[in-house]
Amino acid sequence: MRIIGGKLKGKSIIPPAGYKARPTTDFAREGLFNVLNNEYEFEGLSVLDLFGGTGAISFEFASRGASEVYCVEMSPANASFIKTAAASLGLGNVTVVRHNVFDFIRICRKSFDLVFADPPYALEGLASLPDKVLESGIVRAGMYFILEHPADYSFAGHPFFLKEKKYGNVHFSFFEKK
């Protein structure tokens, strides 16, 4: 796994053997960030990465100049890896929060410019995640919530659905609450 762009472009992040997370593919991350690059100036953005996994999305935003990136990951081993990797990459703008995402959404009092979620594809409650995120107030008005999900989900009928981008088997649904 490598960082696609920004000041750390090309740097590799190697999780330990047996790591329990499904990272977003380099191909899909590159596609996602090409879309975002055309719509946002990354410098100074405040980003929330839910279900941090390997930290790849957090590292990508931090490398591109986001002023703060909060990465929420429940697994102690994964959270520890993300924290260690961020430190070794010199990413002081990444804060790892070891917490259950659904509980975090409920108690978080901060709002963000972009919220990204890459839950386990078999997660119970995945279909309700856009409502939980958008109703919580953690996404600033007019900004994006982006959900990575498998092909068997379609959010096109959601009132705040904006668009879907597909990269191989990876689907990103974009939501915007005005």
Side-chain angles (χ1 to χ4, degrees):
M1 177 173 70
R2 65 185 172 86
I3 296 176
I4 306 296
K7 68 182 181 184
L8 297 174
K9 180 179 181 175
K11 289 268 189 194
S12 291
I13 302 122
I14 313 291
Y19 196 79
K20 302 254 189 278
R22 173 198 37 79
T24 303
T25 64
D26 287 358
F27 172 67
R29 263 186 299 116
E30 187 168 8
L32 171 65
F33 278 88
N34 284 341
V35 170
L36 292 175
N37 197 44
N38 288 320
E39 300 185 35
Y40 286 95
E41 176 64 43
F42 292 109
E43 285 292 323
L45 281 183
S46 174
V47 177
L48 176 61
D49 179 8
L50 300 172
F51 305 96
T54 61
I57 295 291
S58 290
F59 301 151
E60 203 66 56
F61 276 113
S63 175
R64 292 166 187 257
S67 62
E68 61 179 358
V69 180
Y70 283 77
C71 179
V72 180
E73 173 56 50
M74 189 168 77
S75 160
N78 293 11
S80 177
F81 170 77
I82 296 166
K83 190 178 282 191
T84 301
S88 72
L89 291 166
L91 296 174
N93 51 344
V94 174
T95 302
V96 179
V97 179
R98 197 179 79 67
H99 214 297
N100 174 288
V101 166
F102 292 104
D103 291 341
F104 179 85
I105 291 168
R106 239 180 32 277
I107 63 171
C108 182
R109 296 296 167 243
K110 186 170 176 49
S111 61
F112 298 87
D113 297 317
L114 281 171
V115 176
F116 177 85
D118 178 12
Y121 282 1
L123 179 74
E124 188 174 318
L126 188 145
S128 68
L129 195 55
D131 289 329
K132 287 182 179 0
V133 168
L134 294 166
E135 290 168 5
S136 72
I138 61 175
V139 183
R140 290 191 179 117
M143 304 305 265
Y144 285 165
F145 166 56
I146 305 162
L147 176 62
E148 181 176 334
H149 59 87
D152 45 338
Y153 284 88
S154 173
F155 295 94
H158 192 280
F160 300 115
F161 177 82
L162 190 62
K163 61 187 170 188
E164 182 177 3
K165 297 290 184 179
K166 302 170 190 171
Y167 302 96
N169 294 325
V170 178
H171 295 242
F172 296 110
S173 284
F174 292 71
F175 302 85
E176 181 180 15
K177 190 171 184 180
K178 299 279 185 194

